[in-house]
């Protein structure tokens, strides 16, 4: 299996298991929180959310994806297939990086 095939399957599994849509909802929720914060505290609040988000939300979503894959037997199927593990890992890594770039692309605050 090629890298693009792995990325397509990873995207379908993430959407089917509702992990990626939920991640986007949480990112929207963070943006709404930042809009509700008074202007004097926006910069500090955005830094706090920026450092808190990967620790709280990011690891939970990665853990959820791993549990879904374990339940579906993805790694067992991958072990007996002629596909390369590096394509699997790169597709997963780059897709999560792409989602985080989309999440951080639109700033919800402006510099003071």
């Amino acid at each position: 299996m090629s890298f693009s095939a792995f990325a397509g399957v990873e995207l379908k599994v993430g959407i089917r298991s509702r992990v990626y849509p939920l991640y986007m909802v949480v990112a929207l929720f963070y943006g709404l929180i930042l809009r509700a914060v008074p202007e004097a505290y926006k910069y500090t609040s955005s830094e706090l959310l920026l450092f808190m988000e990967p620790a709280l939300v990011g690891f939970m979503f990665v853990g959820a994806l791993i549990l879904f894959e374990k339940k579906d037997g993805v790694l067992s199927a991958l072990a007996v297939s002629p596909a390369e593990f590096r394509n699997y890992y790169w597709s997963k890594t780059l897709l999560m990086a792409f989602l985080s770039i989309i999440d951080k692309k639109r700033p919800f605050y402006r510099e003071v």
Side-chain angles (χ1 to χ4, degrees):
M1 227 172 157
S2 68
F3 169 76
S4 59
F6 271 125
V9 169
E10 175 67 26
L11 186 62
K12 287 177 188 175
V13 168
I15 291 172
R16 183 186 71 203
S17 61
R18 295 183 185 93
V19 173
Y20 296 150
L22 184 61
Y23 184 76
M24 291 300 165
V25 169
V26 169
L28 179 66
F29 182 67
Y30 279 160
L32 294 175
I33 287 173
L34 283 176
R35 287 190 185 261
V37 171
E39 193 68 37
Y41 300 110
K42 276 196 195 271
Y43 188 75
T44 306
S45 301
S46 63
E47 287 178 347
L48 178 67
L49 285 177
L50 180 67
F51 287 112
M52 192 173 72
E53 192 268 339
L56 295 177
V57 178
F59 293 132
M60 285 190 293
F61 286 133
V62 169
L65 285 173
I66 289 171
L67 287 176
F68 283 128
E69 288 178 355
K70 186 175 182 178
K71 181 187 75 159
D72 291 342
V74 171
L75 292 179
S76 299
L78 187 61
V80 297
S81 73
E84 295 182 14
F85 274 98
R86 87 172 155 216
N87 287 339
Y88 170 73
Y89 291 128
W90 275 112
S91 67
K92 185 172 280 305
T93 302
L94 293 177
L95 191 58
M96 292 299 275
F98 179 70
L99 285 174
S100 88
I101 289 170
I102 290 173
D103 178 30
K104 304 297 185 257
K105 196 68 170 169
R106 292 178 288 150
F108 291 103
Y109 69 93
R110 65 174 204 257
E111 297 279 333
V112 274

